[in-house]
Coordinates of all heavy atoms in Angstrom, one line a residue:
M1055 N 66.9 1.3 46.4 CA 66.1 2.4 45.9 C 64.7 1.9 45.6 O 63.7 2.4 46.1 CB 66.7 2.9 44.7 CG 66.0 4.1 44.2 SD 67.2 5.1 43.2 CE 66.4 6.5 43.0
D1056 N 64.5 0.8 44.7 CA 63.2 0.3 44.4 C 63.0 -1.0 45.3 O 63.7 -2.0 45.2 CB 63.1 -0.1 42.9 CG 61.8 -0.6 42.5 OD1 60.8 -0.3 43.3 OD2 61.7 -1.3 41.5
A1057 N 62.0 -0.9 46.2 CA 61.7 -2.0 47.1 C 60.6 -2.9 46.6 O 60.1 -3.7 47.3 CB 61.4 -1.4 48.4
G1058 N 60.3 -2.8 45.3 CA 59.2 -3.6 44.7 C 57.8 -3.1 44.9 O 56.9 -3.8 44.6
F1059 N 57.7 -1.9 45.3 CA 56.4 -1.2 45.4 C 56.5 0.2 45.1 O 57.6 0.8 45.0 CB 55.8 -1.4 46.8 CG 56.7 -0.8 47.9 CD1 56.4 0.5 48.3 CD2 57.7 -1.5 48.5 CE1 57.2 1.1 49.3 CE2 58.4 -0.9 49.5 CZ 58.2 0.4 49.9
F1060 N 55.4 0.9 44.8 CA 55.4 2.3 44.5 C 55.0 3.1 45.7 O 54.2 2.7 46.5 CB 54.3 2.5 43.3 CG 54.7 1.9 42.1 CD1 54.1 0.7 41.7 CD2 55.7 2.4 41.2 CE1 54.4 0.1 40.5 CE2 56.0 1.8 40.1 CZ 55.4 0.6 39.7
R1061 N 55.6 4.2 45.8 CA 55.3 5.1 46.9 C 54.1 6.1 46.5 O 53.9 6.3 45.3 CB 56.5 6.0 47.2 CG 57.6 5.1 47.7 CD 58.9 5.8 47.9 NE 58.8 6.5 49.2 CZ 59.7 7.3 49.6 NH1 60.7 7.7 48.8 NH2 59.7 7.8 50.8
G1062 N 53.4 6.6 47.4 CA 52.3 7.5 47.1 C 51.0 6.8 47.1 O 50.8 5.8 47.8
T1063 N 50.0 7.4 46.4 CA 48.7 6.9 46.4 C 48.3 6.4 45.0 O 48.9 6.8 44.0 CB 47.7 8.0 46.8 OG1 47.8 9.1 45.8 CG2 47.9 8.5 48.2
S1064 N 47.4 5.5 45.0 CA 46.9 4.9 43.7 C 45.8 5.8 43.2 O 45.3 6.7 43.9 CB 46.4 3.5 43.9 OG 45.3 3.5 44.7
A1065 N 45.4 5.6 42.0 CA 44.3 6.4 41.4 C 43.0 6.2 42.2 O 42.2 7.1 42.3 CB 44.1 6.0 39.9
E1066 N 42.8 5.0 42.7 CA 41.6 4.7 43.5 C 41.5 5.5 44.8 O 40.5 5.9 45.3 CB 41.4 3.2 43.9 CG 41.1 2.4 42.7 CD 42.4 2.0 41.9 OE1 43.5 1.9 42.5 OE2 42.3 1.7 40.7
Q1067 N 42.7 5.8 45.4 CA 42.8 6.5 46.6 C 42.8 8.0 46.5 O 42.5 8.8 47.4 CB 44.1 6.1 47.3 CG 44.2 4.7 47.8 CD 45.6 4.3 48.2 OE1 46.6 4.8 47.7 NE2 45.6 3.3 49.1
D1068 N 43.1 8.5 45.3 CA 43.2 9.9 45.0 C 41.9 10.5 44.6 O 41.3 10.0 43.6 CB 44.3 10.2 43.9 CG 44.7 11.7 43.9 OD1 43.9 12.5 44.4 OD2 45.7 12.0 43.3
N1069 N 41.3 11.5 45.3 CA 40.0 12.0 45.0 C 39.9 12.7 43.6 O 38.9 12.9 43.1 CB 39.6 13.1 46.1 CG 39.3 12.4 47.4 OD1 38.9 11.2 47.4 ND2 39.4 13.1 48.5
R1070 N 41.1 13.1 43.1 CA 41.0 13.8 41.8 C 40.6 12.8 40.7 O 40.2 13.2 39.6 CB 42.4 14.3 41.4 CG 42.9 15.5 42.4 CD 44.3 15.9 42.0 NE 45.2 14.8 42.3 CZ 46.4 14.7 41.8 NH1 46.9 15.7 41.1 NH2 47.2 13.7 42.1
F1071 N 40.8 11.5 40.9 CA 40.4 10.6 39.9 C 39.2 9.7 40.3 O 39.0 8.6 39.9 CB 41.6 9.6 39.7 CG 42.9 10.4 39.3 CD1 43.9 10.4 40.2 CD2 43.0 11.0 38.1 CE1 45.1 11.1 39.9 CE2 44.1 11.7 37.8 CZ 45.2 11.7 38.6
S1072 N 38.3 10.3 41.0 CA 37.1 9.6 41.4 C 36.1 9.5 40.3 O 36.3 10.1 39.2 CB 36.4 10.4 42.6 OG 35.9 11.6 42.1
N1073 N 35.2 8.6 40.4 CA 34.2 8.3 39.4 C 33.2 9.5 39.3 O 32.3 9.6 40.1 CB 33.5 7.0 39.6 CG 32.6 6.6 38.5 OD1 32.3 7.3 37.6 ND2 32.3 5.3 38.5
K1074 N 33.4 10.3 38.3 CA 32.6 11.5 38.1 C 31.1 11.2 37.9 O 30.2 11.8 38.3 CB 33.1 12.4 37.0 CG 34.5 12.8 37.1 CD 34.8 13.7 38.3 CE 36.2 14.1 38.3 NZ 36.7 14.5 39.6
Q1075 N 30.9 10.1 37.1 CA 29.5 9.7 36.8 C 28.8 9.3 38.0 O 27.6 9.6 38.2 CB 29.5 8.6 35.7 CG 28.2 8.4 35.1 CD 28.3 7.6 33.8 OE1 29.4 7.4 33.3 NE2 27.2 7.3 33.2
K1076 N 29.4 8.5 38.9 CA 28.8 8.1 40.1 C 28.5 9.2 41.0 O 27.4 9.3 41.6 CB 29.8 7.1 40.8 CG 29.3 6.3 41.9 CD 30.3 5.4 42.4 CE 29.8 4.4 43.4 NZ 30.8 3.4 43.9
K1077 N 29.4 10.2 41.0 CA 29.1 11.4 41.8 C 27.9 12.2 41.3 O 27.1 12.7 42.1 CB 30.4 12.3 41.8 CG 30.3 13.5 42.7 CD 31.7 14.3 42.6 CE 31.6 15.5 43.4 NZ 32.9 16.3 43.4
L1078 N 27.8 12.3 40.0 CA 26.7 13.0 39.4 C 25.4 12.3 39.6 O 24.3 12.9 39.8 CB 26.9 13.2 37.9 CG 27.9 14.3 37.5 CD1 28.1 14.3 36.0 CD2 27.3 15.7 37.8
L1079 N 25.4 11.0 39.6 CA 24.2 10.2 39.9 C 23.6 10.5 41.3 O 22.4 10.5 41.5 CB 24.5 8.7 39.8 CG 24.5 8.1 38.4 CD1 25.0 6.6 38.4 CD2 23.1 8.2 37.7
K1080 N 24.5 10.7 42.2 CA 24.1 11.1 43.6 C 23.6 12.5 43.7 O 22.7 12.8 44.5 CB 25.2 10.8 44.6 CG 25.5 9.4 44.8 CD 26.7 9.2 45.8 CE 27.0 7.8 45.9 NZ 28.2 7.6 46.8
Q1081 N 24.2 13.4 42.9 CA 23.9 14.9 43.1 C 22.7 15.3 42.3 O 21.9 16.1 42.8 CB 25.1 15.7 42.6 CG 26.3 15.7 43.5 CD 27.5 16.5 43.0 OE1 27.5 16.8 41.8 NE2 28.4 16.8 43.8
L1082 N 22.5 14.8 41.1 CA 21.5 15.3 40.2 C 20.1 14.7 40.6 O 20.0 13.6 41.1 CB 21.8 15.0 38.8 CG 23.1 15.7 38.2 CD1 23.3 15.2 36.8 CD2 22.9 17.2 38.3
K1083 N 19.1 15.5 40.3 CA 17.7 15.0 40.4 C 17.3 14.6 39.0 O 17.5 15.4 38.0 CB 16.8 16.0 41.0 CG 17.2 16.4 42.4 CD 16.2 17.3 43.0 CE 16.6 17.9 44.2 NZ 16.5 17.3 45.4
F1084 N 16.6 13.5 38.8 CA 16.2 13.0 37.5 C 14.7 12.8 37.5 O 14.1 12.6 38.5 CB 16.9 11.6 37.3 CG 18.4 11.7 37.2 CD1 19.1 11.4 38.3 CD2 19.0 12.0 36.0 CE1 20.5 11.4 38.2 CE2 20.4 12.1 35.9 CZ 21.1 11.8 37.0
A1085 N 14.2 12.8 36.2 CA 12.8 12.6 36.0 C 12.5 11.1 36.3 O 13.4 10.3 36.2 CB 12.4 12.9 34.6
E1086 N 11.2 10.8 36.7 CA 10.8 9.5 37.0 C 11.1 8.5 35.8 O 11.4 7.3 36.1 CB 9.3 9.4 37.4 CG 9.0 9.9 38.7 CD 7.6 9.7 39.1 OE1 7.0 8.8 38.7 OE2 7.1 10.6 39.8
C1087 N 11.0 9.0 34.6 CA 11.1 8.1 33.5 C 12.5 7.5 33.4 O 12.8 6.5 32.7 CB 10.7 8.7 32.2 SG 11.7 10.2 31.7
L1088 N 13.5 8.1 34.1 CA 14.9 7.7 34.0 C 15.3 6.7 35.1 O 16.4 6.3 35.1 CB 15.8 8.9 34.1 CG 15.7 9.9 32.9 CD1 16.6 11.1 33.2 CD2 16.0 9.3 31.6
D1089 N 14.3 6.3 35.9 CA 14.6 5.4 37.0 C 14.6 3.9 36.5 O 15.1 3.1 37.3 CB 13.5 5.5 38.1 CG 13.7 6.7 39.0 OD1 14.9 7.2 39.0 OD2 12.8 7.2 39.5
K1090 N 14.2 3.7 35.3 CA 14.1 2.3 34.8 C 15.4 1.9 34.1 O 16.0 2.7 33.5 CB 12.9 2.2 33.9 CG 11.6 2.5 34.6 CD 10.5 2.3 33.7 CE 9.2 2.4 34.4 NZ 8.4 3.3 34.6
K1091 N 15.7 0.6 34.2 CA 16.7 0.0 33.4 C 16.1 -0.6 32.2 O 15.0 -1.0 32.1 CB 17.4 -1.1 34.2 CG 18.2 -0.7 35.4 CD 18.9 -1.8 36.1 CE 19.6 -1.3 37.3 NZ 20.3 -2.4 38.0
V1092 N 16.9 -0.5 31.1 CA 16.4 -1.0 29.8 C 17.2 -2.2 29.3 O 18.4 -2.1 29.3 CB 16.5 0.2 28.7 CG1 16.0 -0.3 27.4 CG2 15.6 1.4 29.1
D1093 N 16.5 -3.3 29.0 CA 17.1 -4.4 28.5 C 17.3 -4.3 27.0 O 16.3 -4.4 26.2 CB 16.3 -5.7 28.8 CG 17.0 -7.0 28.4 OD1 18.1 -6.9 27.8 OD2 16.4 -8.0 28.6
M1094 N 18.5 -4.0 26.5 CA 18.7 -3.7 25.1 C 18.5 -4.9 24.2 O 18.4 -4.7 23.0 CB 20.0 -3.0 24.9 CG 20.1 -1.6 25.5 SD 18.9 -0.5 25.0 CE 19.4 -0.2 23.3
T1095 N 18.5 -6.1 24.7 CA 18.2 -7.3 23.9 C 16.8 -7.3 23.4 O 16.5 -7.9 22.4 CB 18.5 -8.6 24.6 OG1 17.6 -8.6 25.8 CG2 20.0 -8.6 25.1
K1096 N 15.9 -6.5 24.1 CA 14.5 -6.5 23.7 C 14.2 -5.2 22.8 O 13.0 -5.0 22.4 CB 13.6 -6.5 24.9 CG 13.8 -7.7 25.8 CD 12.9 -7.7 27.0 CE 13.1 -8.9 27.8 NZ 12.3 -8.9 29.0
V1097 N 15.2 -4.4 22.6 CA 15.0 -3.2 21.8 C 15.5 -3.4 20.4 O 16.6 -3.8 20.2 CB 15.7 -2.0 22.5 CG1 15.6 -0.7 21.6 CG2 15.2 -1.8 23.9
N1098 N 14.6 -3.0 19.4 CA 15.1 -3.1 18.0 C 15.6 -1.7 17.7 O 14.9 -0.8 17.4 CB 13.9 -3.4 17.1 CG 14.3 -3.7 15.7 OD1 15.4 -3.4 15.3 ND2 13.3 -4.2 14.9
L1099 N 16.9 -1.6 17.7 CA 17.6 -0.3 17.5 C 17.3 0.3 16.1 O 17.3 1.5 15.9 CB 19.1 -0.4 17.7 CG 19.5 -0.2 19.2 CD1 21.0 -0.4 19.3 CD2 19.2 1.2 19.7
E1100 N 17.2 -0.6 15.1 CA 17.0 -0.2 13.7 C 15.7 0.6 13.6 O 15.5 1.5 12.8 CB 17.0 -1.4 12.8 CG 18.3 -2.1 12.7 CD 19.5 -1.2 12.4 OE1 19.4 -0.3 11.5 OE2 20.5 -1.3 13.1
V1101 N 14.7 0.3 14.5 CA 13.4 1.0 14.5 C 13.5 2.4 15.1 O 13.0 3.4 14.6 CB 12.3 0.2 15.2 CG1 11.1 1.0 15.3 CG2 12.1 -1.1 14.5
I1102 N 14.3 2.5 16.2 CA 14.4 3.8 16.8 C 15.5 4.7 16.4 O 15.6 5.9 16.7 CB 14.5 3.6 18.4 CG1 15.8 2.9 18.8 CG2 13.3 3.0 18.9 CD1 16.0 3.0 20.3
K1103 N 16.4 4.2 15.5 CA 17.5 5.0 15.0 C 17.1 6.3 14.2 O 17.6 7.4 14.5 CB 18.5 4.2 14.2 CG 19.5 3.4 15.0 CD 20.5 2.7 14.2 CE 21.5 2.0 15.0 NZ 22.5 1.3 14.3
P1104 N 16.1 6.1 13.4 CA 15.6 7.3 12.7 C 15.0 8.4 13.6 O 15.2 9.6 13.5 CB 14.5 6.8 11.7 CG 14.8 5.4 11.5 CD 15.4 4.9 12.8
W1105 N 14.3 7.9 14.7 CA 13.8 8.8 15.7 C 14.9 9.5 16.4 O 14.8 10.7 16.7 CB 12.8 8.1 16.7 CG 12.3 9.0 17.7 CD1 11.2 9.8 17.6 CD2 12.9 9.3 19.0 NE1 11.1 10.6 18.7 CE2 12.1 10.3 19.6 CE3 14.0 8.8 19.7 CZ2 12.3 10.7 20.9 CZ3 14.3 9.3 20.9 CH2 13.4 10.3 21.5
I1106 N 15.9 8.8 16.8 CA 17.1 9.4 17.5 C 17.7 10.4 16.7 O 18.0 11.5 17.1 CB 18.1 8.3 17.9 CG1 17.5 7.4 19.0 CG2 19.4 8.9 18.4 CD1 18.3 6.1 19.3
T1107 N 17.9 10.1 15.4 CA 18.5 11.1 14.5 C 17.7 12.3 14.4 O 18.2 13.5 14.4 CB 18.7 10.4 13.1 OG1 19.5 9.2 13.2 CG2 19.3 11.4 12.1
Q1108 N 16.4 12.2 14.2 CA 15.4 13.3 14.1 C 15.4 14.1 15.4 O 15.5 15.4 15.3 CB 14.0 12.8 13.8 CG 13.0 13.9 13.7 CD 11.6 13.3 13.6 OE1 11.4 12.1 13.5 NE2 10.6 14.2 13.6
R1109 N 15.4 13.5 16.5 CA 15.3 14.2 17.8 C 16.6 15.0 18.1 O 16.6 16.1 18.5 CB 15.1 13.2 18.9 CG 14.9 13.8 20.3 CD 13.6 14.5 20.4 NE 13.4 15.1 21.8 CZ 13.1 16.3 22.1 NH1 12.8 17.1 21.1 NH2 13.0 16.7 23.3
V1110 N 17.8 14.4 17.8 CA 19.1 15.0 18.0 C 19.2 16.2 17.1 O 19.6 17.3 17.5 CB 20.2 14.1 17.9 CG1 21.6 14.8 17.8 CG2 20.2 13.0 19.0
T1111 N 18.8 16.1 15.9 CA 18.8 17.2 14.9 C 17.9 18.3 15.3 O 18.2 19.5 15.2 CB 18.4 16.7 13.5 OG1 19.3 15.6 13.1 CG2 18.5 17.8 12.5
E1112 N 16.7 17.9 15.9 CA 15.8 18.9 16.4 C 16.4 19.7 17.6 O 16.2 20.9 17.7 CB 14.5 18.2 16.8 CG 13.4 19.0 17.3 CD 12.2 18.2 17.7 OE1 11.7 17.4 16.9 OE2 11.8 18.3 18.9
I1113 N 17.0 19.0 18.5 CA 17.6 19.6 19.7 C 18.7 20.5 19.3 O 18.8 21.7 19.8 CB 18.0 18.5 20.7 CG1 16.8 17.9 21.3 CG2 18.9 19.2 21.8 CD1 17.1 16.6 22.2
L1114 N 19.7 20.0 18.5 CA 20.9 20.8 18.1 C 20.6 21.9 17.1 O 21.3 22.9 17.0 CB 21.9 19.9 17.6 CG 22.5 18.9 18.6 CD1 23.5 18.0 17.9 CD2 23.1 19.6 19.8
G1115 N 19.6 21.7 16.3 CA 19.3 22.7 15.2 C 20.0 22.3 13.9 O 19.8 23.0 12.9
F1116 N 20.8 21.3 13.9 CA 21.5 20.8 12.7 C 21.9 19.3 12.9 O 21.9 18.8 14.1 CB 22.8 21.6 12.4 CG 23.8 21.6 13.6 CD1 24.8 20.6 13.5 CD2 23.7 22.4 14.6 CE1 25.8 20.6 14.6 CE2 24.7 22.4 15.7 CZ 25.7 21.4 15.6
E1117 N 22.1 18.6 11.8 CA 22.4 17.2 11.9 C 23.9 17.0 12.2 O 24.8 17.5 11.5 CB 22.1 16.5 10.6 CG 22.2 15.0 10.7 CD 21.6 14.3 9.5 OE1 20.8 14.9 8.8 OE2 22.0 13.1 9.3
D1118 N 24.2 16.4 13.4 CA 25.6 16.2 13.8 C 25.8 14.7 13.8 O 25.4 14.0 14.7 CB 25.8 16.8 15.2 CG 27.3 16.8 15.6 OD1 28.1 16.0 15.0 OD2 27.6 17.5 16.5
D1119 N 26.5 14.2 12.8 CA 26.8 12.7 12.6 C 27.6 12.2 13.8 O 27.4 11.0 14.2 CB 27.5 12.4 11.3 CG 26.5 12.7 10.1 OD1 25.3 12.6 10.3 OD2 27.1 12.9 9.0
V1120 N 28.5 13.0 14.3 CA 29.4 12.5 15.4 C 28.5 12.2 16.7 O 28.7 11.1 17.3 CB 30.5 13.5 15.7 CG1 31.3 13.1 16.9 CG2 31.4 13.7 14.5
V1121 N 27.7 13.1 17.0 CA 26.8 12.9 18.2 C 25.9 11.8 18.0 O 25.7 10.9 18.9 CB 26.0 14.2 18.5 CG1 25.0 14.0 19.7 CG2 27.0 15.3 18.9
I1122 N 25.3 11.7 16.8 CA 24.3 10.6 16.5 C 25.0 9.2 16.6 O 24.5 8.3 17.2 CB 23.6 10.9 15.2 CG1 22.8 12.1 15.3 CG2 22.8 9.7 14.7 CD1 22.3 12.7 13.9
E1123 N 26.2 9.1 16.0 CA 26.9 7.8 16.0 C 27.3 7.5 17.4 O 27.4 6.3 17.8 CB 28.1 7.9 15.1 CG 27.7 7.8 13.6 CD 26.9 6.5 13.3 OE1 27.3 5.4 13.8 OE2 25.9 6.6 12.5
F1124 N 27.7 8.5 18.2 CA 28.1 8.3 19.6 C 26.9 7.7 20.4 O 27.1 6.8 21.1 CB 28.6 9.6 20.2 CG 28.9 9.5 21.7 CD1 30.0 8.9 22.1 CD2 28.0 10.0 22.7 CE1 30.3 8.8 23.5 CE2 28.3 9.9 24.0 CZ 29.4 9.3 24.4
I1125 N 25.7 8.3 20.2 CA 24.5 7.7 20.8 C 24.3 6.3 20.4 O 24.0 5.4 21.3 CB 23.3 8.6 20.5 CG1 23.5 10.0 21.2 CG2 22.0 8.0 21.0 CD1 22.5 11.0 20.7
F1126 N 24.4 6.0 19.1 CA 24.1 4.7 18.6 C 25.1 3.7 19.3 O 24.8 2.6 19.7 CB 24.3 4.6 17.1 CG 23.2 5.3 16.4 CD1 23.4 5.6 15.1 CD2 22.0 5.7 17.0 CE1 22.4 6.3 14.3 CE2 21.0 6.3 16.3 CZ 21.2 6.6 14.9
N1127 N 26.4 4.1 19.4 CA 27.4 3.2 19.9 C 27.2 3.0 21.4 O 27.4 1.9 21.9 CB 28.8 3.8 19.7 CG 29.3 3.8 18.3 OD1 28.8 3.0 17.5 ND2 30.2 4.7 17.9
Q1128 N 26.7 4.0 22.1 CA 26.4 3.9 23.6 C 25.3 2.9 23.8 O 25.3 2.1 24.7 CB 26.1 5.2 24.2 CG 27.2 6.2 24.3 CD 28.3 5.7 25.3 OE1 28.0 5.3 26.4 NE2 29.5 5.7 24.9
L1129 N 24.3 2.9 22.9 CA 23.2 2.0 23.0 C 23.5 0.6 22.6 O 22.9 -0.4 23.1 CB 22.0 2.6 22.2 CG 21.4 3.9 22.7 CD1 20.3 4.4 21.8 CD2 20.9 3.8 24.1
E1130 N 24.4 0.4 21.6 CA 24.7 -0.9 21.1 C 25.7 -1.7 22.0 O 25.7 -2.9 21.9 CB 25.3 -0.7 19.7 CG 24.3 -0.3 18.7 CD 24.9 0.1 17.3 OE1 26.1 0.2 17.2 OE2 24.1 0.3 16.4
E1131 N 26.5 -1.0 22.7 CA 27.6 -1.7 23.4 C 27.2 -2.4 24.7 O 27.9 -3.2 25.3 CB 28.8 -0.8 23.6 CG 28.6 0.2 24.7 CD 29.8 1.1 24.9 OE1 30.6 1.3 23.9 OE2 30.0 1.6 26.0
K1132 N 26.0 -2.0 25.3 CA 25.6 -2.5 26.6 C 24.3 -3.3 26.4 O 23.5 -3.1 25.6 CB 25.4 -1.4 27.5 CG 26.7 -0.7 27.8 CD 26.5 0.4 28.8 CE 27.8 1.1 29.0 NZ 27.8 2.5 28.8
V1133 N 24.2 -4.3 27.3 CA 23.0 -5.1 27.3 C 21.9 -4.5 28.2 O 20.8 -4.4 27.8 CB 23.3 -6.6 27.8 CG1 22.0 -7.4 27.9 CG2 24.3 -7.2 26.9
I1134 N 22.2 -4.1 29.4 CA 21.3 -3.4 30.3 C 21.8 -2.0 30.5 O 23.0 -1.8 30.8 CB 21.3 -4.1 31.7 CG1 20.9 -5.6 31.6 CG2 20.3 -3.3 32.6 CD1 19.4 -5.8 31.2
I1135 N 20.9 -1.0 30.2 CA 21.3 0.4 30.3 C 20.5 1.0 31.4 O 19.2 0.9 31.4 CB 21.0 1.1 29.0 CG1 22.0 0.5 27.9 CG2 21.2 2.6 29.1 CD1 21.8 1.1 26.6
L1136 N 21.2 1.8 32.3 CA 20.5 2.6 33.2 C 20.3 4.0 32.6 O 21.3 4.6 32.2 CB 21.3 2.7 34.5 CG 20.7 3.6 35.6 CD1 19.4 3.0 36.1 CD2 21.7 3.7 36.8
M1137 N 19.1 4.4 32.4 CA 18.8 5.6 31.7 C 19.4 6.8 32.3 O 19.6 7.8 31.6 CB 17.3 5.7 31.5 CG 16.7 4.6 30.6 SD 17.5 4.4 29.0 CE 17.2 5.9 28.2
K1138 N 19.6 6.8 33.6 CA 20.2 8.0 34.2 C 21.6 8.2 33.7 O 22.1 9.3 33.5 CB 20.3 7.8 35.8 CG 18.9 7.9 36.4 CD 19.0 7.7 37.9 CE 17.7 7.8 38.6 NZ 17.8 7.6 40.0
N1139 N 22.3 7.1 33.4 CA 23.7 7.2 32.9 C 23.6 7.8 31.5 O 24.5 8.6 31.1 CB 24.4 5.8 32.9 CG 24.7 5.4 34.3 OD1 24.9 6.2 35.2 ND2 24.9 4.1 34.4
V1140 N 22.7 7.3 30.7 CA 22.5 7.9 29.3 C 22.2 9.4 29.4 O 22.8 10.1 28.6 CB 21.4 7.1 28.6 CG1 21.1 7.8 27.2 CG2 21.7 5.7 28.4
H1141 N 21.4 9.8 30.3 CA 21.1 11.2 30.5 C 22.4 12.0 30.8 O 22.6 13.1 30.3 CB 20.0 11.4 31.5 CG 19.6 12.8 31.7 ND1 18.8 13.4 30.8 CD2 19.8 13.7 32.6 CE1 18.5 14.6 31.2 NE2 19.2 14.9 32.3
I1142 N 23.2 11.5 31.7 CA 24.4 12.2 32.1 C 25.4 12.3 30.9 O 25.9 13.3 30.6 CB 25.1 11.5 33.3 CG1 24.3 11.7 34.5 CG2 26.5 12.0 33.4 CD1 24.8 10.9 35.7
I1143 N 25.5 11.2 30.1 CA 26.4 11.2 29.0 C 25.9 12.1 27.9 O 26.7 12.8 27.3 CB 26.5 9.7 28.4 CG1 27.3 8.8 29.4 CG2 27.2 9.7 27.1 CD1 27.2 7.4 29.1
L1144 N 24.6 12.2 27.7 CA 24.1 13.0 26.6 C 23.6 14.4 27.1 O 22.8 15.0 26.3 CB 23.0 12.3 25.9 CG 23.4 11.0 25.3 CD1 22.2 10.3 24.7 CD2 24.4 11.2 24.2
S1145 N 24.0 14.9 28.2 CA 23.4 16.1 28.7 C 24.1 17.3 28.1 O 24.7 18.1 28.7 CB 23.5 16.2 30.2 OG 24.9 16.1 30.6
F1146 N 24.0 17.4 26.7 CA 24.7 18.5 26.0 C 23.8 19.7 25.9 O 24.2 20.7 25.5 CB 25.1 18.0 24.6 CG 24.0 17.3 23.8 CD1 23.1 18.1 23.1 CD2 23.9 16.0 23.8 CE1 22.1 17.4 22.4 CE2 23.0 15.3 23.0 CZ 22.0 16.1 22.4
H1147 N 22.5 19.5 26.3 CA 21.6 20.7 26.3 C 20.6 20.5 27.4 O 19.8 19.7 27.4 CB 20.9 20.7 25.0 CG 20.4 22.1 24.6 ND1 19.5 22.8 25.4 CD2 20.7 22.9 23.6 CE1 19.2 23.9 24.9 NE2 20.0 24.1 23.8
K1148 N 20.7 21.4 28.5 CA 19.9 21.3 29.7 C 18.4 21.6 29.4 O 17.6 21.1 30.2 CB 20.4 22.2 30.7 CG 21.8 21.8 31.2 CD 22.3 22.7 32.3 CE 23.6 22.3 32.8 NZ 24.1 23.0 33.9
K1149 N 18.1 22.3 28.3 CA 16.8 22.7 28.1 C 15.9 21.5 27.6 O 14.7 21.5 27.8 CB 16.8 23.8 27.0 CG 15.5 24.3 26.6 CD 15.7 25.5 25.7 CE 14.7 25.6 24.6 NZ 14.9 26.7 23.7
Y1150 N 16.5 20.5 27.1 CA 15.8 19.3 26.5 C 16.0 18.1 27.4 O 17.0 18.0 28.0 CB 16.3 19.1 25.1 CG 16.0 20.2 24.2 CD1 17.0 21.1 23.8 CD2 14.7 20.4 23.7 CE1 16.8 22.2 23.0 CE2 14.5 21.5 22.8 CZ 15.5 22.3 22.5 OH 15.2 23.4 21.7
S1151 N 15.1 17.3 27.4 CA 15.1 16.0 28.1 C 15.0 14.8 27.2 O 14.4 15.0 26.1 CB 14.0 15.9 29.1 OG 14.0 14.7 29.8
I1152 N 15.6 13.7 27.5 CA 15.5 12.5 26.7 C 14.2 11.7 27.0 O 13.9 10.8 26.4 CB 16.7 11.6 26.8 CG1 17.0 11.1 28.2 CG2 18.0 12.3 26.3 CD1 18.0 10.1 28.4
C1153 N 13.5 12.2 28.0 CA 12.2 11.6 28.4 C 11.2 11.9 27.4 O 11.0 13.1 27.0 CB 11.7 12.0 29.8 SG 12.7 11.4 31.1
V1154 N 10.5 10.9 26.9 CA 9.4 11.1 26.0 C 8.2 10.4 26.6 O 8.2 9.2 26.8 CB 9.7 10.5 24.6 CG1 8.5 10.6 23.7 CG2 10.9 11.1 24.0
L1155 N 7.2 11.2 26.9 CA 5.9 10.6 27.5 C 4.8 10.6 26.5 O 4.7 11.3 25.6 CB 5.5 11.4 28.7 CG 6.6 11.6 29.8 CD1 6.1 12.5 30.9 CD2 7.0 10.2 30.4

């Protein structure tokens, strides 16, 4: 009955379990400011955290600690960040952009 292998397809072979973020990167059009990678070792997060909190509160219309902490965790866990990925993760409101010029 069990020949030491599994029958069927693996998650990598099944299209239902494809990398959605990779698919969105190919489909969506992004602003030029999101083409750059950011080296987070050179960023002082303590300086920009108040701005992030203020900007998220401004976009949502109320202070949401869960969203703000999620953003902080996303920025803290990686060394090099592709801003397009950050945009996809945080695209909770299409009217606003994370680009600041």
